[in-house]
C-alpha cells in the first residue's frame, strides 16, 4: 500500500492515521476525512490506495454491509500505535441495528465510516453537498475518537454524543467538551510517545 497524490500528510510528519477508501469513494470525501483528522484531532493522516469493495461483509438479504468483518479486516495488519479508518459509500449496519453511520473498535486499531446516508442517493431532500461533507467530518472524527478510547459523552453539543439520526448529528458542532478534549490530548500524546520508541 502506498500513499496517493491526494494525501494531506506533509513530508515531515509521521502518520498516526491511515485513511483507506473502500471501493469507489468520492475523492473530495477522502480529503475531507483526512483533513479533519489533522485539523481537529491533530493526527497526521496518510491516505492509502483504495481497497476493494468489502464483498465479504455483504448481508445479501438486507443489501447492507456488516461493519464487524470490515473492522477486523482494517485492523488485521496495522501495528500499534497507528490506527486505520475505512471510508465507504456503502450502507453499513450491524446485525442488531438497521443502519449505522460508522463503527469503531473502542480503544482498538480501526474504525469504518459511511457517507451513504448523507448524500442524495439516500436522502431526497439533501440541502447541499457541503452538508454531506460536514456530516462525514463529524462521524469520521467521532469514530476516530472512539478508537482513541473515548466513550459516548452526555455533555450538550459535544461531538462524542451519540447520534442515531441526521437531525441529532446536525445539532452537533465539530467541538468536544473539556473532558473529552483532555482525554483526546492525552491519547494523542501516548500515540506519539509509542511511535517515537519504534
Amino acid at each position: 500500500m502506498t500513499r496517493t497524490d491526494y494525501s494531506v500528510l506533509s513530508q515531515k510528519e509521521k502518520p498516526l492515521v491511515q485513511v483507506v477508501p473502500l471501493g469507489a469513494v468520492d475523492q473530495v470525501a477522502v480529503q475531507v476525512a483526512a483533513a479533519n483528522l489533522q485539523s481537529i484531532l491533530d493526527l497526521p493522516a496518510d491516505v492509502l490506495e483504495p481497497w476493494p469493495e468489502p464483498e465479504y461483509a455483504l448481508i445479501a438479504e438486507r443489501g447492507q454491509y456488516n461493519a464487524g468483518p470490515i473492522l477486523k479486516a482494517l485492523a488485521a495488519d496495522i501495528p500499534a500505535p497507528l490506527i486505520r479508518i475505512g471510508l465507504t459509500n456503502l450502507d453499513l449496519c450491524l446485525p442488531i441495528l438497521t443502519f449505522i453511520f460508522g463503527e469503531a473498535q473502542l480503544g482498538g486499531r480501526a474504525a469504518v465510516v459511511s457517507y451513504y446516508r448523507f448524500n442524495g442517493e439516500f436522502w431526497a431532500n439533501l440541502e447541499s453537498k457541503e452538508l454531506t461533507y460536514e456530516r462525514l467530518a463529524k462521524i469520521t472524527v467521532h469514530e476516530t475518537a472512539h478508537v482513541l478510547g473515548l466513550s459516548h459523552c452526555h455533555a450538550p453539543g459535544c461531538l462524542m454524543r451519540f447520534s442515531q439520526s441526521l437531525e441529532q448529528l446536525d445539532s452537533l458542532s465539530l467541538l468536544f467538551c473539556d473532558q473529552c478534549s483532555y482525554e483526546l490530548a492525552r491519547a494523542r500524546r501516548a500515540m506519539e510517545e509509542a511511535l517515537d520508541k519504534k
Side-chain angles (χ1 to χ4, degrees), residues 182-193:
Y182 172 80
E183 295 297 335
L184 284 168
R186 188 169 67 170
R188 191 188 187 287
R189 284 195 301 272
M191 289 181 74
E192 289 180 325
E193 290 169 2

Side-chain angles (χ1 to χ4, degrees), residues 69-123:
I70 299 173
L71 284 179
K72 288 181 182 178
L74 288 166
D77 63 350
I78 186 165
L82 303 182
I83 60 179
R84 187 175 284 153
I85 310 299
L87 179 61
T88 184
N89 192 31
L90 301 172
D91 197 16
L92 295 179
C93 69
L94 291 172
I96 60 171
L97 296 174
T98 55
F99 73 88
I100 56 173
F101 299 139
E103 183 71 359
Q105 295 176 329
L106 184 63
R109 301 262 66 85
V112 61
V113 174
S114 170
Y115 60 94
Y116 176 82
R117 291 177 179 258
F118 300 163
N119 61 32
E121 291 180 25
F122 190 85
W123 299 103

Side-chain angles (χ1 to χ4, degrees), residues 29-101:
V30 175
Q31 284 286 81
V32 166
N36 279 277
L37 290 173
Q38 294 196 161
S39 64
I40 296 172
L41 294 180
D42 197 24
L43 295 175
D46 202 9
V47 178
L48 302 188
E49 294 288 347
W51 288 14
E53 193 170 290
E55 293 298 334
Y56 56 85
L58 177 64
I59 303 176
E61 61 272 21
R62 292 173 61 165
Q64 294 177 297
Y65 293 76
N66 185 346
I70 299 173
L71 284 179
K72 288 181 182 178
L74 288 166
D77 63 350
I78 186 165
L82 303 182
I83 60 179
R84 187 175 284 153
I85 310 299
L87 179 61
T88 184
N89 192 31
L90 301 172
D91 197 16
L92 295 179
C93 69
L94 291 172
I96 60 171
L97 296 174
T98 55
F99 73 88
I100 56 173
F101 299 139

